[in-house]
């Protein structure tokens, strides 16, 4: 006799809404985060993914991470990556050296995308950003350039006196293809005041992506969770992204980023790393709330490959990429490797019972690895 898995009462109404294709609201989101019936939550998120057309395919990208500078004026309290110019280990790449480094990696790794972000370096001027984009484009015309967070774009408006639109137009002219999703943190002003008082308001981040979308740039979006935000503030963040996506359809993917406290002031205040419970909840709840964002990434760098495998059954359909070489999470205590090879990602996805698909940045299929 089959024993049906009981679904907790609080999930029952939300489940009916999801299965009927109805939109979830703020209260639903908070209820989902408060719910400890993890398996039902995962099953519901997986059902939502399938109802919206998802299948057994799981994406990854062969990409290269670059960080042009670690020098940053902002001093976000969650960040262990930023340095001042005076610190001995501060990094700032000359353009030619950075391009030469990327070309050297390319000799043994056929990456299709460069993902490059850095600090808000007050010692650079806008021409550096334009020139580095143009130099990468010239050296690797066939590589997709996913460069600069919305926070960096905002910083460039300060450096140049240009509007966000004009900064983006200059970068697009130089070769920029898409924006990564970093810098979003949590939009709530209360949270930003505590963790990132020197950073632009959440509204500016959203407005910058809106402007990018209007110019035809597709972008990504993120949320950094498990520092000082409440569940309500997490859901409000997701709803702000959902509202923008309703207007523009410009986001390709959402990436939940678990806060890593090591080497930050939060470590001294006793903050702990997230647990698998919170990470899986965030993947599932993101999938359920963001009903208009096609892809949710289980970012193996921050949650590990074993948990990313589980997350693929909790609403995620992408595990990001080969990476080579991640520095932001690792500065803050990540214990994952800093890169994975294509063969290893294929193995991780297959062993999770899914079909690995190597994609380009726009989710076009480069190679499907049949079972
Ligand atoms: O902007 C900073 C966050 C982001 C810490 O667009 C931290 O496809 C955890 O945005 N612990 C950079 N997170 C990473 C990022 C990203 C990653 C993968 C894919 C994409 C994409 C974007 O990491 C930063 C900040 O929000 N961050 N410090 C920390 N201690």
């Amino acid at each position: 006799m089959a024993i049906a898995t009981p679904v907790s009462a609080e999930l029952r109404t939300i489940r009916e809404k999801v299965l009927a294709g109805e939109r979830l609201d703020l209260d639903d989101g908070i209820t989902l985060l408060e719910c400890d019936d993890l398996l039902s939550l995962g099953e519901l998120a997986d059902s939502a993914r399938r109802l919206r057309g998802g299948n057994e395919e799981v994406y990854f990208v062969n990409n290269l991470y670059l960080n042009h500078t670690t020098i940053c004026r902002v001093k976000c309290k969650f960040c262990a990556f930023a340095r001042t110019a005076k610190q001995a280990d501060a990094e700032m790449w000359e353009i030619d050296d950075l391009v030469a480094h990327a070309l050297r990696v390319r000799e043994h790794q056929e990456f299709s995308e460069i993902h490059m972000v850095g600090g808000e370096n007050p010692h650079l001027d806008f021409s550096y950003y334009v020139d580095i984009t143009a130099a990468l484009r010239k050296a690797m015309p066939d590589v997709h350039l996913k460069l600069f967070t919305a926070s960096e774009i905002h910083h460039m408006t300060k450096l140049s006196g240009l509007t966000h639109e004009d900064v983006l137009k200059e970068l697009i002219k130089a070769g920029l293809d898409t924006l990564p999703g970093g810098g979003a943190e949590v939009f709530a002003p209360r949270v930003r005041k505590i963790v990132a008082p020197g950073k632009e308001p959440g509204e500016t981040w959203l407005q910058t992506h809106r402007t990018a979308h209007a110019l035809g740039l597709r972008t990504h979006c993120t949320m950094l969770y498990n520092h000082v935000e409440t569940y309500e503030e997490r859901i409000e963040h997701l709803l702000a992204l959902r509202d923008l996506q309703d207007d523009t359809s410009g986001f390709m993917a959402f990436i939940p980023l678990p806060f890593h406290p090591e080497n930050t002031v939060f470590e001294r205040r006793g903050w702990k790393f997230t647990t698998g419970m919170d990470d899986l909840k965030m993947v599932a709840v993101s999938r359920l709330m963001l009903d208009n964002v096609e892809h949710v990434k289980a970012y193996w760098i921050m949650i590990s490959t074993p948990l990313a495998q589980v997350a693929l059954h909790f609403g995620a359909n992408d595990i990001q990429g080969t990476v080579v070489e991640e520095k932001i999470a690792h500065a803050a205590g990540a214990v994952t490797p800093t890169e994975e090879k294509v063969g290893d990602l294929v193995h991780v996805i297959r062993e999770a019972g899914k079909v690995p698909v190597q994609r380009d940045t726009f989710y076009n299929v480069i190679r499907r690895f049949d079972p």
Side-chain angles (χ1 to χ4, degrees), residues 158-319:
K158 303 281 170 209
L159 295 175
S160 63
L162 297 173
T163 61
H164 294 77
E165 182 176 344
D166 286 340
V167 163
L168 286 166
K169 279 183 176 165
E170 289 294 314
L171 293 171
I172 292 169
K173 220 190 302 162
L176 176 73
D177 290 311
T178 51
L179 294 185
E185 325 314 356
V186 170
F187 297 137
R190 184 195 73 84
V191 174
R192 274 182 124 72
K193 205 165 153 198
I194 299 169
V195 303
K199 205 160 198 155
E200 74 286 350
E203 194 44 51
T204 306
W205 188 98
L206 288 162
Q207 199 52 41
T208 303
H209 279 262
R210 186 182 286 278
T211 304
H213 297 167
L215 292 172
L217 275 190
R218 306 295 308 278
T219 71
H220 304 77
C221 52
T222 61
M223 175 171 65
L224 176 69
Y225 63 95
N226 190 48
H227 37 96
V228 304
E229 82 289 356
T230 61
Y231 278 174
E232 185 171 349
E233 287 161 340
R234 285 189 195 184
I235 301 298
E236 281 169 350
H237 183 100
L238 295 180
L239 294 181
L241 293 174
R242 191 173 80 180
D243 285 348
L244 176 52
Q245 181 75 339
D246 276 347
D247 292 347
T248 66
S249 304
F251 292 126
M252 288 188 283
F254 174 74
I255 311 102
L257 303 172
F259 173 51
H260 289 44
E262 217 169 279
N263 303 317
T264 74
V265 293
F266 289 101
E267 182 186 25
R268 294 194 284 284
R269 294 177 195 166
W271 251 252
K272 302 267 185 279
F273 285 82
T274 51
T275 61
M277 183 84 176
D278 204 9
D279 294 336
L280 290 175
K281 268 190 189 181
M282 270 318 302
V283 168
V285 173
S286 308
R287 171 60 77 189
L288 287 163
M289 298 307 297
L290 293 174
D291 53 21
N292 53 4
V293 177
E294 196 171 350
H295 306 289
V296 174
K297 295 185 190 180
Y299 187 31
W300 69 263
I301 280 278
M302 291 200 187
I303 66 170
S304 82
T305 47
L307 198 64
Q309 288 181 308
V310 183
L312 297 179
H313 298 268
F314 276 65
N317 67 331
D318 186 327
I319 61 168

Side-chain angles (χ1 to χ4, degrees), residues 24 40 62 75 86 120 142 244 280 288 304 315 340 350:
L24 303 183
S40 299
N62 189 344
K75 304 198 173 26
K86 290 198 179 106
E120 295 186 24
D142 53 335
L244 176 52
L280 290 175
L288 287 163
S304 82
E340 289 283 3
R350 266 201 187 127

Side-chain angles (χ1 to χ4, degrees), residues 24-181:
L24 303 183
D25 60 21
L26 178 68
D27 288 341
D28 296 327
I30 295 169
T31 302
L32 290 170
L33 282 175
E34 283 173 349
C35 170
D36 285 333
D37 183 358
L38 191 62
L39 292 185
S40 299
L41 190 57
E43 193 265 335
L44 190 56
D46 197 50
S47 302
R49 184 184 66 76
R50 287 172 195 282
L51 280 170
R52 295 175 205 148
N55 55 23
E56 298 313 314
E57 293 181 346
V58 167
Y59 296 99
F60 69 92
V61 62
N62 189 344
N63 61 357
L64 171 70
Y65 275 28
L66 297 174
N67 302 111
H68 48 288
T69 181
T70 59
I71 298 172
C72 189
R73 55 154 207 100
V74 191
K75 304 198 173 26
C76 297
K77 294 200 170 56
F78 54 77
C79 182
F81 166 83
R83 297 287 181 273
T84 61
K86 290 198 179 106
Q87 284 180 279
D89 58 349
E91 280 178 21
M92 155 75 209
W93 282 82
E94 296 299 331
I95 294 175
D96 289 349
D97 293 344
L98 191 81
V99 171
H101 166 70
L103 286 171
R104 264 195 309 277
V105 177
R106 199 131 205 258
E107 282 168 17
H108 56 85
Q109 192 195 329
E110 260 187 84
F111 52 82
S112 64
E113 167 191 289
I114 288 180
H115 166 124
M116 182 170 81
V117 296
E120 295 186 24
N121 188 334
H123 308 286
L124 291 173
D125 58 32
F126 181 47
S127 63
Y128 175 89
Y129 292 93
V130 176
D131 293 349
I132 207 168
T133 305
L136 288 168
R137 169 54 65 238
K138 185 159 179 247
M140 287 161 279
D142 53 335
V143 170
H144 182 105
L145 299 182
K146 177 188 180 199
L147 317 178
F148 313 127
T149 64
S151 306
E152 291 174 272
I153 301 295
H154 183 64
H155 177 58
M156 290 177 217
T157 67
K158 303 281 170 209
L159 295 175
S160 63
L162 297 173
T163 61
H164 294 77
E165 182 176 344
D166 286 340
V167 163
L168 286 166
K169 279 183 176 165
E170 289 294 314
L171 293 171
I172 292 169
K173 220 190 302 162
L176 176 73
D177 290 311
T178 51
L179 294 185

